[in-house]
Amino acid sequence: MAKIGINIATGSLQQPEMIVGIDLGTTNSLVAMIHPETKLPIALKEFDGSSIVPSVVHFDAFGNVEVGAVAKPYLETDPVNTIFSAKRLMGKSYNDIQTHQDFFAYKIIDDNKDSLVKVQVGNQFYSPIELSSHILTALKNRVEHILKTPVNKALITVPAYINDTQRQATRDAGKLAGLDVLRIINEPTAASLAYGLGLDPSEEKTIAVYDLGGGTFDISILRISGGVFEVLSTNGDTYLGGDDLDRAIIEYWMGLMKIDSLDDTKSLKQQLRLAAEEAKIALSNASHFETNFAGEKLSITKEIFENLIASIVDKTMDCCAKAMKDAGLKLADINTVLMVGGSTRVPLVKNTVSKYFNQAVNDSVNPDEVVALGAAVQADILSGNNQNMLLLDITPLSLGIETMGGLMDVLLPRNS
Ligand code: ADP
Ligand code: MG
């Protein structure tokens, strides 16, 4: 017979310990759980109605840390002490990010090119793991505040295409935030779970998950059969996302203003970055955008924007073609195309993907929340519910051992 705990203080039945799903995003992070009554996944919302926590960490002069929406304005006013896109640095050496260093407005330490990067804020040095743990701590506190109960167990999602060092870094960040990370799951796998795909054991489907977020692009081809999710192939680009769309607008505006570089005025640089993002988001629903910047009127039309970003969108389609090739499939084999990530709200993105796969894309679940919602579904499976479901993943990168002369003998080929 099952034992049921009763909280003597409140008289209420004690719930089994909550396991939450966390989408630790490059740009935005959020937490989701299964609603105890409806049994449906929900993203946890603050009183202001927003489920999204910007993945931004600000350090003040006294070493105090602020995370999320409160930290975001410092991107403009205090850029050197405000860290964004820390996820891009996870498990990376300076060599890995050297060519992209211009992107970061804060100081990345480069004393040893092969060791893992550190970020310098004032006279303190932070690893990307520590920075990510600040975000996870903020998410944990926020959720505990909303649920009014301790939350210590979580699943955290990661892009499908990252290596084991980066996965381990994500686990370590969770541990540092006081979370027992029960599992690291691939974002596209989580997304398909949020769409309820695979819940019907008789369902047989081959799906494409197109995820364009703020900093990374992933395409995954999954086969769902008998409640089993199998990743047939993954591809992507860890330096391609909404940030690049923003950058296209920044470069366009700098051209118009005849400015070559804003390197010495980091606050202006950030201000322009935020204005560009505002323009991009507006252009998802309008044909024209206008704003003021440093006393100048700046504007952009949807048509110009689409011309600027066409090559970026095409790059993602090249990744799609590679993933299709690796999976050994024809376009007609794809039954469903899922849209994931805030940047899939851009009409040109949606249309291009739809044209490529020759079908209407599936975008009914909020693209900002879909990954966290799926992580919550998986958390529920781990709690012992939905036991007929099983997740089967593949290795996105070849695994092997180093042999003489620094060569690698592959033991498990990519996509096994
Ligand atoms: P990540 O998974 O990388 O954290 P998200 O999925 O949260 O990213 O997507 C963030 C990106 O989505 C940002 O670049 C943001 O500007 C972009 N974005 C959000 N809403 C829109 C919109 N309505 N139109 C275009 N881009 C959007
Ligand atoms: Mg994401």
Side-chain angles (χ1 to χ4, degrees):
M1 196 166 133
K3 288 184 185 157
I4 299 170
I6 297 176
N7 183 326
I8 298 176
T10 61
S12 62
L13 295 182
Q14 268 170 0
Q15 300 287 337
E17 195 180 354
M18 177 68 60
I19 307 173
V20 295
I22 297 180
D23 174 3
L24 180 63
T26 311
T27 314
N28 298 305
S29 299
L30 65 155
V31 182
M33 60 176 267
I34 297 296
H35 191 285
E37 275 137 39
T38 66
K39 306 288 177 209
L40 293 172
I42 48 157
L44 288 157
K45 290 187 168 65
E46 218 50 304
F47 57 87
D48 65 358
S50 102
S51 56
I52 281 168
V53 175
S55 305
V56 180
V57 182
H58 175 253
F59 297 90
D60 73 11
F62 310 102
N64 298 317
V65 186
E66 285 179 302
V67 174
V70 288
K72 211 176 171 184
Y74 292 110
L75 287 172
E76 270 185 60
T77 58
D78 191 18
V80 289
N81 298 316
T82 311
I83 315 302
F84 64 94
S85 290
K87 186 180 179 180
R88 284 185 149 171
L89 303 175
M90 291 286 267
K92 294 288 179 75
S93 72
Y94 183 73
N95 264 342
D96 296 329
I97 54 128
Q98 207 169 14
T99 52
H100 300 277
Q101 208 205 0
D102 232 23
F103 174 81
F104 305 95
Y106 46 86
K107 191 160 181 197
I108 296 167
I109 297 307
D110 57 347
D111 52 350
N112 180 341
K113 288 189 189 303
D114 290 323
S115 62
L116 297 180
V117 293
K118 289 243 175 192
V119 169
Q120 185 174 4
V121 179
N123 52 16
Q124 296 284 333
F125 298 87
Y126 298 96
S127 68
I129 293 173
E130 289 171 295
L131 297 167
S132 292
S133 85
H134 281 305
I135 296 167
L136 291 169
T137 301
L139 291 172
K140 181 178 188 286
N141 292 342
R142 188 182 197 247
V143 166
E144 290 179 338
H145 181 79
I146 296 170
L147 297 178
K148 312 237 176 319
T149 174
V151 171
N152 299 307
K153 292 188 172 157
L155 269 73
I156 305 180
T157 61
V158 295
Y161 202 64
I162 69 169
N163 65 29
D164 202 53
T165 311
Q166 293 160 290
R167 280 166 204 268
Q168 189 54 45
T170 305
R171 269 184 192 282
D172 293 346
K175 209 181 284 173
L176 213 53
L179 287 168
D180 184 5
V181 183
L182 300 183
R183 197 172 283 187
I184 296 285
I185 57 171
N186 287 336
E187 289 159 9
T189 306
S192 49
L193 284 170
Y195 270 92
L197 293 169
L199 291 169
D200 172 3
S202 67
E203 187 177 37
E204 298 255 335
K205 266 191 164 169
T206 305
I207 69 165
V209 183
Y210 180 101
D211 180 349
L212 191 59
T216 52
F217 169 64
D218 286 283
I219 174 72
S220 302
I221 312 295
L222 312 183
R223 173 98 193 114
I224 301 169
S225 173
V228 175
F229 290 66
E230 188 184 0
V231 184
L232 300 180
S233 70
T234 68
N235 208 290
D237 189 328
T238 50
Y239 272 94
L240 196 68
D243 294 341
D244 300 288
L245 307 183
D246 300 347
R247 206 151 20 163
I249 299 177
I250 291 170
E251 279 162 15
Y252 168 69
W253 279 343
M254 282 176 59
L256 287 185
M257 293 186 289
K258 303 204 175 22
I259 300 173
D260 291 334
S261 157
L262 284 171
D263 277 354
D264 298 329
T265 46
K266 285 187 169 160
S267 152
L268 270 189
K269 195 171 167 182
Q270 291 295 352
Q271 214 174 312
L272 197 60
R273 202 174 75 83
L274 293 176
E277 184 182 11
E278 199 190 331
K280 173 189 71 179
I281 290 174
L283 292 176
S284 287
N285 292 301
S287 57
H288 182 250
F289 175 84
E290 205 173 287
T291 189
N292 280 307
F293 173 75
E296 290 212 42
K297 199 181 85 178
L298 285 178
S299 68
I300 185 167
T301 65
K302 184 175 174 184
E303 200 186 337
I304 290 173
F305 174 60
E306 294 192 338
N307 283 329
L308 293 174
I309 66 165
S311 63
I312 299 172
V313 179
D314 286 347
K315 255 194 205 170
T316 70
M317 301 324 300
D318 293 343
C319 294
C320 291
K322 283 182 197 147
M324 288 298 292
K325 190 161 174 259
D326 279 347
L329 296 176
K330 297 185 300 291
L331 290 170
D333 297 328
I334 301 294
N335 306 117
T336 302
V337 181
L338 301 184
M339 298 302 267
V340 176
S343 300
T344 59
R345 288 213 177 87
V346 174
L348 181 71
V349 171
K350 225 178 269 190
N351 295 339
T352 309
V353 177
S354 166
K355 225 176 273 167
Y356 176 82
F357 285 101
N358 207 13
Q359 59 185 287
V361 296
N362 207 335
D363 59 357
S364 57
V365 178
N366 181 334
D368 303 315
E369 295 180 351
V370 59
V371 168
L373 295 175
V377 171
Q378 172 70 353
D380 198 41
I381 297 169
L382 280 190
S383 325
N385 305 320
N386 271 324
Q387 274 181 351
N388 56 335
M389 286 182 69
L390 170 73
L391 281 178
L392 207 68
D393 253 338
I394 52 118
T395 64
L397 304 172
S398 298
L399 296 176
I401 53 170
E402 187 179 322
T403 52
M404 265 207 313
L407 299 174
M408 183 178 89
D409 263 354
V410 173
L411 295 177
L412 285 176
R414 181 166 70 101
N415 287 334
S416 300

